[in-house]
Amino acid sequence: MEKNYWLFKSEPFKWSWEMQKAKGEAGEEWDGIRNYQARNNMRQMKIGDKAFFYHSNEGLEVVGIAEVCALSHPDTTINDDRWDCVDIKAVCDMPKPVTLKAVKANPALEKMSLVTSMRLSVQPVTKQEWLEVCRMGGLENPPL
């Protein structure tokens, strides 16, 4: 089965990559999403899909790789059936964080959602974009 690739944005003062890694194999709910497009993206996710973990506002860089470890389910932080979330777990650090500036400067990534839909907190990533960002980050054998 073909895996999909994603990007999750988080403000590091609210939920950092270090906090995500501390959750270990159990992972953590990616809660608090109140955007329909981001929610719909999470509803499409499958167990084992890989994702970039991106620090927004501070850092503006891909700092790690995560994996979806629980399918879309009701967000436990709100009593409203409209809002779902998935659980993700940390897989590995990005050896060299990939900055937004570097992504924007790379012609191969000009159509990446991170460039074209910057405000969207949960974004799809194509396999070609996945491989290119991993290459930029120094991952010789990126998790697929």
Side-chain angles (χ1 to χ4, degrees), residues 38 42 66 74 89 95 114 120-121 127:
M42 289 191 291
K89 64 181 180 179
L114 186 58
L120 188 61
S121 61
K127 187 171 185 180

Side-chain angles (χ1 to χ4, degrees), residues 106-134:
N106 186 330
L109 300 173
E110 68 185 2
K111 293 184 180 173
M112 187 173 182
S113 289
L114 186 58
V115 174
T116 63
S117 303
M118 290 177 53
R119 296 189 51 80
L120 188 61
S121 61
V122 179
Q123 307 175 351
V125 175
T126 68
K127 187 171 185 180
Q128 293 75 23
E129 292 164 346
W130 178 263
L131 294 171
E132 181 63 11
V133 172
C134 286

